[in-house]
């Protein structure tokens, strides 16, 4: 979809610019937009597909910004999609390019109250930053559930949920890192005498830093949680092997006597002794009991 709204914002020299909104544009719309803006169609297509590229490009007739906007998935707490949002300033136009509708753009870009271009960019970035905050908090809440389940059950499916959370936090962290770079570079274009713009820029930078700190903290927590779980599993496996070894040793002890008796060697008068069977059986039980007591004291016969 391609939508053009006239006179939506002010350029640096106070001229009006039109807003061209490209939302999942068709091939024909992309070709038409590239011709209107005098931008290579391949450049727009790469940005639309979110391919790795420079977050900020400044040329003679073009300023291009790109960052990731977290949009929550319907009915899935903690699940989200990072949607690439590209902004372009070309003569006469301000362009937004994205594969999905971004709700807050229509609220921020109002032809009845046109803003200066850098003020608009900063407000868009501030809104994106505010989208990161509830997304990170929802992931943190799910992480708390995973921690509780790991403590109670130690199920493997919970581990996979923890790994999935770690992947989502990494995606958030990369998106915030890209956004931080854009905010840092924008500071060089802002007029130093405009106190309002500088204040918005500083507020946005601080807000972004706070969200990044929270995501980094959550990442450290989930990594420590998974490492602790791996240690517990490793310890339990070692204990299980000790338990099995103790059982095998206890089961092997009674086999010594029939093994010795079955050997084709003379045993002297011992097989004909009246109390031979009782002595052998009693000695066997005593060795078995002593061995079991030693294993129990060492904890090898306990599975708790």
């Amino acid at each position: 979809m391609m939508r053009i709204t006239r006179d939506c914002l002010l350029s640096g020299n106070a001229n009006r610019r039109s807003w061209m909104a490209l939302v999942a544009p068709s091939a024909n719309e992309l070709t038409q937009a590239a011709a209107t803006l005098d931008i290579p169609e391949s450049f727009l297509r790469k940005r639309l597909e979110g391919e790795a590229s420079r977050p900020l490009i400044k040329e003679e007739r073009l300023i291009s910004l790109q960052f990731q906007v977290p949009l929550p998935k319907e009915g899935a707490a903690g699940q989200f999609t990072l949607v690439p949002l590209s902004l372009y300033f070309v003569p006469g136009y301000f362009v937004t390019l994205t594969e999905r509708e971004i709700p807050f753009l229509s609220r921020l870009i109002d032809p009845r109250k046109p803003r200066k271009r850098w003020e608009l960019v900063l407000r868009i970035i501030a809104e994106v930053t505010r989208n990161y905050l509830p997304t990170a908090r929802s992931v943190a809440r799910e992480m708390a559930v995973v921690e509780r389940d790991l403590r109670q059950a130690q199920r493997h499916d919970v581990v996979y949920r923890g790994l999935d959370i770690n992947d989502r936090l990494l995606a958030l962290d990369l998106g915030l890192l890209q956004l931080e770079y854009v905010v840092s570079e924008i500071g060089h274009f802002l007029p130093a005498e405009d106190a309002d713009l500088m204040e918005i820029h500083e507020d946005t930078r601080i807000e972004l830093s706070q969200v990044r700190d929270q995501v980094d903290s959550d990442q450290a927590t989930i990594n420590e949680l998974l490492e602790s779980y791996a240690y517990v599993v490793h310890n339990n496996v070692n204990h299980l092997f000790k338990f099995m070894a103790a059982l095998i040793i206890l089961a092997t002890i009674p086999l010594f006597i029939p093994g010795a008796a079955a050997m084709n060697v003379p045993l002297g008068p011992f097989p004909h002794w009246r109390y031979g069977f009782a002595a052998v059986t009693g000695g066997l039980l005593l060795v078995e009991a002593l061995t079991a007591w030693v294993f129990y004291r060492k904890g090898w016969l306990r599975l708790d």
Side-chain angles (χ1 to χ4, degrees):
M1 179 188 72
M2 183 172 72
R3 182 177 68 249
I4 297 178
T5 308
R6 301 294 176 183
D7 301 332
C8 279
L9 72 155
L10 303 174
S11 63
N13 54 10
N15 293 327
R16 298 268 181 147
R17 290 178 188 259
S18 298
W19 174 29
M20 178 185 289
L22 296 169
V23 181
S26 64
N28 291 335
E29 289 173 336
L30 211 56
T31 302
Q32 181 183 350
T36 302
L37 303 171
D38 193 18
I39 295 177
E41 183 179 343
S42 60
F43 179 74
L44 293 176
R45 192 176 303 280
K46 285 182 179 179
R47 292 271 170 156
L48 179 65
E49 294 170 353
E51 291 191 14
S53 57
R54 289 156 54 195
L56 188 148
I57 298 175
K58 187 179 186 299
E59 298 178 356
E60 184 178 352
R61 298 183 64 259
L62 167 70
I63 297 178
S64 171
L65 309 172
Q66 186 182 44
F67 36 81
Q68 309 288 331
V69 182
L71 296 180
K73 292 183 179 179
E74 293 293 334
Q79 300 288 338
F80 60 89
T81 303
L82 286 178
V83 178
L85 171 62
S86 296
L87 309 180
Y88 303 92
F89 289 103
V90 297
Y93 285 96
F94 169 65
V95 185
T96 59
L97 174 64
T98 180
E99 60 182 9
R100 285 178 54 183
E101 188 75 44
I102 308 272
F104 60 78
L105 289 178
S106 298
R107 175 165 48 83
L108 292 176
I109 307 174
D110 187 352
R112 295 169 299 179
K113 299 177 181 179
R115 305 177 190 272
K116 296 178 182 179
R117 61 180 182 179
W118 291 117
E119 179 188 356
L120 177 61
V121 170
L122 287 174
R123 292 193 181 277
I124 289 175
I125 291 176
E127 195 68 35
V128 173
T129 303
R130 295 187 188 104
N131 274 24
Y132 271 95
L133 188 56
T135 304
R137 285 175 177 169
S138 63
V139 174
R141 285 194 294 269
E142 185 179 355
M143 185 174 64
V145 174
V146 169
E147 182 177 5
R148 182 199 64 197
D149 290 347
L150 279 176
R151 291 179 182 276
Q152 292 178 351
Q154 298 181 14
R155 298 192 306 266
H156 293 295
D157 62 309
V158 182
V159 177
Y160 289 114
R161 282 177 60 196
L163 293 174
D164 178 59
I165 289 174
N166 189 56
D167 290 341
R168 278 180 275 154
L169 288 172
L170 180 60
L172 286 176
D173 195 46
L174 291 175
L176 287 166
L177 186 63
Q178 184 183 41
L179 201 56
E180 273 189 331
Y181 172 78
V182 172
V183 171
S184 174
E185 291 299 310
I186 284 176
H188 302 303
F189 302 117
L190 301 180
E193 66 276 6
D194 194 330
D196 291 338
L197 270 184
M198 298 305 292
E199 183 179 357
I200 295 173
H201 179 265
E202 183 63 18
D203 291 344
T204 303
R205 191 188 63 79
I206 292 173
E207 228 177 321
L208 191 56
S209 176
Q210 290 173 342
V211 178
R212 181 103 191 276
D213 288 343
Q214 178 179 336
V215 171
D216 289 344
S217 174
D218 290 340
Q219 270 190 298
T221 301
I222 193 68
N223 287 332
E224 290 175 1
L225 182 63
L226 292 175
E227 287 176 4
S228 299
Y229 177 78
Y231 173 78
V232 170
V233 171
H234 179 71
N235 187 60
N236 287 346
V237 169
N238 285 343
H239 192 71
L240 180 62
F241 282 147
K242 290 177 181 178
F243 177 77
M244 294 175 62
L247 291 183
I248 291 173
I249 292 173
L250 291 175
T252 304
I253 290 175
L255 300 179
F256 284 134
I257 302 304
M263 290 188 297
N264 191 18
V265 293
L267 297 178
F270 188 77
H272 308 288
W273 184 33
R274 178 178 178 182
Y275 302 103
F277 178 79
V280 169
T281 303
L284 187 65
L285 291 176
L286 179 62
V287 171
E288 188 87 359
L290 287 173
T291 306
W293 180 78
V294 171
F295 287 161
Y296 182 80
R297 289 293 301 271
K298 288 182 172 292
W300 289 19
L301 290 178
R302 293 195 295 267
L303 284 178
D304 52 347

